[in-house]
């Protein structure tokens, strides 16, 4: 914890500046971090008031549990270039490992918001993937019977 | 019935319910045999048992649903009884019969009773004859799309389309008009086929804004039948229960007595034994409310701890006692509800994405504890949540002197239940319990849909959350320092469970 | 009394009881302030509170017993009430008075009542006037060795020598004859002085093979006094309780009613408010048994969870309500015991070395959980058990439908309570619960001494134990592998609690 | 886990031979070890029956928790020379960190079994250290007021 970090959670990106010995500055606010005895537990103090959080750094994100809420944070060294955007905002992705049971569209098809483009099955349930907006299918990356992994695009929309 | 001692129980299940059964057996001096698929090698229920037998690859059809494999495992491990838990083979009459044929005590109702209640048509007829009110509905004899549509017009819209076999809402769909019915029929049929191997669908009039209130019953082989009061399970998503409580805020003593009486009659009429649950739809609240028989679950319920908390009884222990031929240890007049209990089912799912089940590693998983708190779970930090089975991680049960106290205790416990690495419904559960309508007891099975937008609202991250995220970016400590260095960590790489 | 809302409570204690109080406050929407000595920086109770204030170096006399430091901390943190827990300043009338003088609500009885009951002489007189039977005894006016010896001859041997201030058995010694009395007096005086700052000793006739049975009482500011039935705490070593249970196997309904009535009268006669306990010595069992007032503990007891488990009440919540001036939420006629609860106190001590307290690192510490199990603790894996405070690590409370079920559940829970790095009494507790005399309810305060040899027997290590020891000798896994490598571990070296 | 180990628990010393892949032989008996997901947890299987144990290696001993019982094991490579015996069998040691409040003997004193030689105080309690047998004091290693550490000899007896 030496250099400034750029941390993004939801809509907000803040510069977080560690100042040594457990102090950090989040924007203009100074907070104090103490580590608990169990892995991932921290106590954050601000103006005499303290709250507990649990935090874990995974390969692609940092997860934080704070007062019953869960946050997934992007943590980067300040000034580092943003990492990968694995798929366009118009892509439909598999939310979890699943089997493709039907592909209802081909490249070039015009689709309307709400149309079911792909039908997945996982945990004995059907999961329809619907078009998020009126669009044209620019690519299809799967076919029926495929076992697909999460966070990969299955269909690209223009 | 003669007493038949049980010395070694095979638990034909996995996860939290297998753990629950193993603990009860151990407290009674009964040995346990766990079974596991390859996906569950080294799982909590496997490590807690006295013996463990592999029964197949991860898919349930190849393991936990394989009757022959489980009977073989019971024989190989020298078990004399089988506890089916819930789900999987628990309501499969053939399995109960296979156990009996193999000389194994099935810890549950007679195969007959499962059969009678497993058929929706048969169960309805039985209930009507026993004087228990039922919701209008039928299984169309003509199972073509057209035949089902015609039957739906007779039952009347809105209508529910669901699997004739099995319970739990799998394959269930509501249709408010013929157009939506046309979409619902093939989907319900497909899911019924996939889940139960039987695509027959059943139609039922949809009661609007009903409560789901069920009565726990218990019967022994000596003709004793009691009920253990109600559980309200109205908070559902995807037709599956999320939050259950007892007492129900909708019941009055008179209504409770009527429903309890109906449930006991229902169980009696089926020749029932052991633990079972009569599910009712409740229309209205208070003395004048109407209730309709929905179905009977011929097994222990997921939500049985709610009943245990308010009645002060151990249902699994009683299941074992009844299966051994002992009389029920309780009499109706000695049973009482005390205080209030709430169960929250913690799922690996993303509420903001239609409660989509999630899979992934439990990078951090810490259960809350404290007075009045009980957590039943089968998962552990460092393990993966897989795609093969139900995504329920844990059941958090909180008991309090009053409903208000139980709600507050649940909320506080959820705030001390960090689960990271997989999205869960923990935040959603907290928002549901905090919602004014829930606090007011104004619940119905459409509660989540009705209030969904509010329940999905997300607070902005406080500065403390940014600080916590920064804390995890700290440098790795030098090896060899700190208490963790005292022990070498084969736990990090070795497991020896795969064989 | 007018209602006085409480918004922020300072918890003037540490360890499990501080955690217990903090949880109750949180469930009531009340903020909490922890205090800590340097030995407790970063302790569980400190991390769970909303605020934390350092009050001094490790020795209790310099921290948890420093009235001024605690009052200052309460003022600085903006607390409006103080919960004293048990031990430390909880039965110190000056502290209760100092709180009142500082405008802080003391969550406990009025200073007066503490004073009346804190003096053994005064308490006895009060009890005799209230018609509550007492054991022959006195505080010698002449506190020289000779004066005490003369008084002992009048009280009659065997005689107990103990601190006149404080309870809990610290400084208590039995003498069966004048020779052993000569040894006991200076030791009792020294320990009384060290523990309570007051070396005055008290003499009391020793009732042989008595049971220790106490009655929980609760009183509010509106004149309501109820009792919450008994706890039997006969299993003691070094005159300190180790196992407590409710109901007592020695009580019948008639005897329970007599003792409950006496306890309520005792509390009433002292103008008592809030939670308190009347300790009795019980001579015999059943309807005809005799009981003698021993002392009143004017605070929450360590073993209060036993009462919570059988009555279904939350005593700490009620303490807060009563302190806010609210009437007691219960009426005697609505209170009932249900089932059976047993508390085992898990100590860092070596039973085979005279129960010598142990200090050292908790290299591994895992609490059991499950239906009917409650663990209250203030310690955690990776922390040190220090030499400054009571060596109790945790309270394991098991509830069951019957005494037999509660015993079995306790034994099973102890077998799932691994604590390594410091010797504990876990194995000893299991042997005590398993002992035929305990199972038969044949308990008295000399139980441990009487059966000590059997209770200390140690089984030879099975082959599995050798295999497990070999497992820990495995090689260190390569860094970077396994789930633990996902996160850097500042937790291993950084703490930031010391400042 | 490659070479044979010599493990001592209480009165028994056994040769434990790891045979790779989690199998071990304790004397003539073959057992199978599987590691649980939490640090220190192992499941030991023998003839189809399994039990759980928790084990942790401290600086000077290996602690094992097994079915409610606690064992402290000495684990050494087979053939290695025995390590330190920090004090003679006749020494009195401080069982825990404590303050010495009285030393009742001097070098050369004859003592009887049961005599209180040292009085310690810890956790507000007096802890008398008594002679284990009739003996002569050969050395005294502490004086009143000392803060003493565990497992170090305070008085040596012949």
């Amino acid at each position: 914890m030496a250099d400034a970090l750029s941390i993004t959670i939801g809509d907000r990106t803040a510069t977080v500046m560690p100042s040594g010995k457990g102090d950090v500055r989040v924007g203009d606010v100074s907070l104090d971090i103490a580590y608990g005895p169990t892995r991932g537990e921290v106590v954050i103090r601000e103006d005499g008031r303290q709250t507990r959080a649990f935090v874990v750094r995974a390969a692609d994100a940092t997860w934080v549990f704070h007062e019953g809420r869960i946050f997934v944070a992007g943590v980067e060294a300040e000034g580092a270039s943003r990492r990968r955007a694995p798929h366009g905002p118009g892509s439909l992705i598999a939310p979890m490992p699943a089997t493709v049971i039907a592909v209802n569209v081909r490249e070039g098809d015009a689709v309307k918001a709400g149309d079911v483009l792909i039908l997945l099955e996982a945990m004995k349930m059907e999961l329809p993937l619907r078009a998020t907006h009126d669009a044209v299918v620019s690519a299809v990356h799967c076919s029926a019977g495929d076992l697909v992994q999460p966070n990969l695009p299955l269909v690209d929309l223009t | 019935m003669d007493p038949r001692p049980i010395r070694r129980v095979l638990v034909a299940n996995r996860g939290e319910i297998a753990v629950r059964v193993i603990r009860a057996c151990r407290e009674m001096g009964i040995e346990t045999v766990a079974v596991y698929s390859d996906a569950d090698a080294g799982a909590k229920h496997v490590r807690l048992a006295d013996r463990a037998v592999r029964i197949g690859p991860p898919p349930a059809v190849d393991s936990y649903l394989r009757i022959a494999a489980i009977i073989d495992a019971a024989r190989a491990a020298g078990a004399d009884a089988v506890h089916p838990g819930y789900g999987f083979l628990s309501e499969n009459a053939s399995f109960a019969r296979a156990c009996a044929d193999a000389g194994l005590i099935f810890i549950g109702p007679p195969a007959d009773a499962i059969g009678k209640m497993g058929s929706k048509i048969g169960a309805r007829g039985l209930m009507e004859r026993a004087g228990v009110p039922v919701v209008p509905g039928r299984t169309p004899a003509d199972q073509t799309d057209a035949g089902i549509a015609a039957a739906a017009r007779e039952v009347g819209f809105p209508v529910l389309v669901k699997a004739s076999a099995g319970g739990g809402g799998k394959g269930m769909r509501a249709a408010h008009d013929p157009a939506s019915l046309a979409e619902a029929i093939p989907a319900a049929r497909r899911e019924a086929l996939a889940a139960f191997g039987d695509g027959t669908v059943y139609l039922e009039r949809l009661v609007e804004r009903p409560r789901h209130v069920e009565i726990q019953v218990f019967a022994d082989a000596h003709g004793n039948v009691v009920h253990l009061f109600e559980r309200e399970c109205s908070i559902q998503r995807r037709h599956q229960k999320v939050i259950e409580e007892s007492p129900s805020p909708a019941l009055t003593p008179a209504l409770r007595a009527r429903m309890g009486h109906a449930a006991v009659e229902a169980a009696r009429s089926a020749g029932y034994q052991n633990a079972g649950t009569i599910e009712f739809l409740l229309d209205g609240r208070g003395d004048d409310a109407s209730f309709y028989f929905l179905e009977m679950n011929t097994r222990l319920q997921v939500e049985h701890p709610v009943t245990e908390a308010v009645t002060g009884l151990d249902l699994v222990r009683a299941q074992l006692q009844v299966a051994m031929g002992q009389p029920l240890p309780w009499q109706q007049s000695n049973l009482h509800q005390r205080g209030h209990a709430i169960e929250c089912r913690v799922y690996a799912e993303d509420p903001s994405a239609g409660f989509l089940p999630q899979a992934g590693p439990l990078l951090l998983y810490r259960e809350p504890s404290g007075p009045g708190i009980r957590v039943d779970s089968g998962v552990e930090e460092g393990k993966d949540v897989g795609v093969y089975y139900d995504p329920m991680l844990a059941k958090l049960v909180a008991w309090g002197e009053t409903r208000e106290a139980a709600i507050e205790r649940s909320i506080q416990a959820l705030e001390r239940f960090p689960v990271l690495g997989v999205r869960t419904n923990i935040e959603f559960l907290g928002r549901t319990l905090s919602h004014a309508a829930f606090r007011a007891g104004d619940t119905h099975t459409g509660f989540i849909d009705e209030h969904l937008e509010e329940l999905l609202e997300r607070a902005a991250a406080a500065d403390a959350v940014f600080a916590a995220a920064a804390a995890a970016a700290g440098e790795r400590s030098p090896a060899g320092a700190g208490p963790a260095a005292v022990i070498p960590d084969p736990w990090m790489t070795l497991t020896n469970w795969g064989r």
Side-chain angles (χ1 to χ4, degrees), chain A, chain B:
Chain A
M1 267 210 292
D3 299 325
L5 300 168
S6 170
I7 297 183
T8 304
I9 301 174
D11 295 339
R12 178 178 170 205
T13 297
T15 297
V16 180
M17 180 72 79
S19 66
K21 289 182 178 256
D23 288 3
V24 296
R25 294 185 64 79
V26 177
D28 295 336
V29 180
S30 186
L31 303 97
D32 186 46
I33 299 172
Y35 292 87
T38 61
R39 192 172 59 81
E41 183 189 345
V42 289
V43 175
I44 302 112
R45 289 175 287 202
E46 185 185 350
D47 271 346
R49 197 169 147 69
Q50 60 179 30
T51 54
R52 278 207 306 173
F54 291 84
V55 55
V56 71
R57 206 169 71 179
D60 54 353
T62 295
W63 295 67
V64 182
F65 181 90
H66 185 249
E67 304 198 311
R69 302 205 172 85
I70 298 124
F71 302 92
V72 180
V75 179
E76 292 180 352
E78 181 81 355
S81 62
R82 304 278 146 185
R83 264 176 287 174
R84 90 222 146 70
H87 47 76
S91 301
L92 295 185
I93 63 165
M96 60 185 308
T99 305
V100 178
I101 44 177
V103 178
N104 299 335
V105 290
R106 296 185 204 190
E107 198 175 314
D109 285 1
V111 296
K112 286 198 184 306
D115 284 0
V116 175
L117 309 190
I118 302 272
L119 201 55
L120 301 176
E121 188 191 275
M123 296 180 183
K124 299 252 164 266
M125 275 189 287
E126 292 187 3
L127 313 173
L129 297 185
R130 296 171 188 275
T132 49
H133 55 285
D134 294 355
V136 173
V137 174
S138 55
V140 176
H141 304 290
C142 63
S143 40
D146 287 1
L147 180 62
V148 294
Q149 295 302 320
N151 294 319
L152 294 176
L154 302 182
V155 171
D156 295 343
L157 302 179
T158 52
Chain B
M1 196 171 97
D2 291 334
R4 304 171 296 176
I6 292 177
R7 294 195 183 82
R8 188 178 294 168
V9 170
L10 179 136
V11 184
N13 217 300
R14 62 180 298 283
E16 66 89 14
I17 193 62
V19 170
R20 169 76 184 93
V21 173
I22 289 166
R23 282 180 179 152
C25 289
R26 190 152 287 190
E27 288 172 1
M28 296 174 75
I30 296 169
E31 286 188 56
T32 53
V33 182
V35 294
Y36 63 96
S37 76
D38 292 334
D40 283 335
K44 191 165 159 191
H45 78 279
V46 177
R47 305 200 312 283
L48 287 176
D50 298 311
R51 290 161 193 274
V53 182
R54 177 190 174 276
I55 49 166
V61 289
D62 299 327
S63 52
Y64 298 105
L65 289 171
R66 271 182 67 210
I67 295 178
I70 289 169
I71 301 287
D72 285 351
R75 281 213 187 91
D80 47 22
V82 172
H83 195 300
Y86 54 70
F88 295 131
L89 296 170
S90 61
E91 295 186 284
N92 185 315
S94 309
F95 180 57
R97 217 165 277 124
C99 287
D101 291 348
L104 297 162
I105 297 175
F106 179 79
I107 300 167
D112 267 18
I114 299 177
K116 278 182 197 161
M117 287 302 190
S119 149
K120 292 229 161 43
I121 307 165
R124 274 174 63 90
L126 204 60
M127 290 306 107
E128 287 177 308
R129 286 191 297 281
V132 178
V134 300
V135 183
R138 66 174 60 172
T139 302
D142 175 359
Q143 285 274 325
T144 64
D145 286 12
I148 293 169
R153 279 189 300 275
E154 287 170 38
V155 168
F157 285 97
V159 71
L160 279 176
V161 189
K162 46 189 199 173
S164 186
K170 269 183 178 145
M172 192 192 290
R173 276 178 169 64
H176 282 75
D177 50 51
S180 56
L181 181 68
E183 254 195 69
I185 293 170
R189 186 186 285 135
R190 252 197 321 271
E191 288 191 26
L193 196 61
F196 308 105
D198 178 351
T200 310
V201 304
Y202 177 81
L203 298 172
E204 185 177 87
R205 171 87 66 74
L206 176 61
V207 178
E208 305 242 49
R209 292 179 72 90
R211 291 171 193 261
H212 175 116
V213 177
E214 60 191 28
I215 304 285
Q216 175 74 50
V217 295
F218 228 110
D220 65 18
H222 307 275
N224 303 305
V225 187
V226 300
H227 72 86
L228 307 181
F229 314 103
E230 80 279 11
R231 293 183 290 261
E232 177 167 342
C233 317
S234 299
I235 307 299
Q236 308 185 350
R237 53 106 190 84
R238 295 172 164 269
H239 299 289
Q240 282 192 322
K241 299 164 186 170
V242 180
I243 297 175
E244 298 101 340
E245 62 182 312
S246 185
S248 161
L251 263 56
T252 51
L255 177 58
R256 181 173 294 118
R258 278 164 60 208
M259 295 181 74
H261 177 77
V264 166
E265 287 311 303
R268 236 185 249 291
S269 70
Y272 200 76
Q273 283 179 34
N274 219 302
T277 294
I278 317 287
E279 295 188 337
F280 293 107
L281 280 186
L282 182 67
D283 195 356
R285 64 191 291 175
D287 288 357
D288 301 325
S290 306
F291 58 91
Y292 303 104
F293 173 80
L294 204 52
E295 63 181 20
M296 179 167 193
N297 293 310
T298 55
R299 49 160 168 91
L300 194 68
Q301 300 278 89
V302 175
E303 60 271 23
H304 75 275
V306 165
T307 297
E308 294 185 323
V310 295
T311 61
L313 305 174
D314 185 332
L315 269 61
V316 180
R317 171 182 279 259
Q319 282 196 299
L320 287 154
Q321 289 170 330
V322 165
M324 286 192 261
Q326 298 173 16
L328 269 183
W330 322 305
Q331 291 185 311
Q332 190 70 54
S333 57
N334 294 335
L335 300 176
H336 302 284
Q337 290 168 299
R338 186 164 81 178
H340 198 100
I342 297 177
E343 173 177 286
C344 289
R345 299 195 192 182
V346 175
Y347 284 104
E349 67 182 18
D350 186 351
S352 63
F355 302 96
L356 203 63
Q358 303 286 300
L362 288 170
L363 298 178
L364 189 144
Y365 175 88
R366 310 277 162 83
E367 295 176 355
S369 65
I373 297 292
R374 165 178 169 185
V375 179
D376 280 25
S377 70
V379 302
E380 294 159 306
E381 187 168 299
K383 293 263 179 184
D384 282 327
V385 179
V387 299
Y388 296 104
Y389 314 113
D390 188 87
M392 190 176 78
L393 301 178
K395 306 185 311 202
L396 168 68
V397 183
W399 182 93
E401 284 178 58
T402 62
R403 185 168 189 265
E404 192 54 35
I407 291 175
E408 282 309 324
R409 186 164 272 174
S410 298
I411 292 172
Q412 291 305 323
L414 288 165
E415 293 195 3
R416 286 181 285 117
F417 201 158
V419 179
L420 300 178
V422 181
R423 287 201 181 270
T424 70
N425 65 338
I426 287 177
E427 182 169 352
F428 179 85
L429 289 166
R431 285 191 168 272
T432 304
L433 295 174
S434 304
H435 194 283
F438 183 84
R439 286 186 187 267
D442 189 9
T443 49
H444 58 94
T445 57
F447 183 94
I448 287 180
D449 286 340
E450 181 177 333
H451 301 291
L452 191 60
E453 214 167 310
E454 291 162 83
L455 299 179
L456 291 179
E457 262 173 31
R458 308 214 61 222
D463 290 340
V465 177
F466 285 84
E475 291 158 61
R476 173 171 290 279
S477 66
V486 171
I487 188 157
D489 268 358
W491 284 269
M492 293 300 124
T493 48
L494 307 176
T495 65
N496 194 29
W497 286 105
R499 321 185 271 169

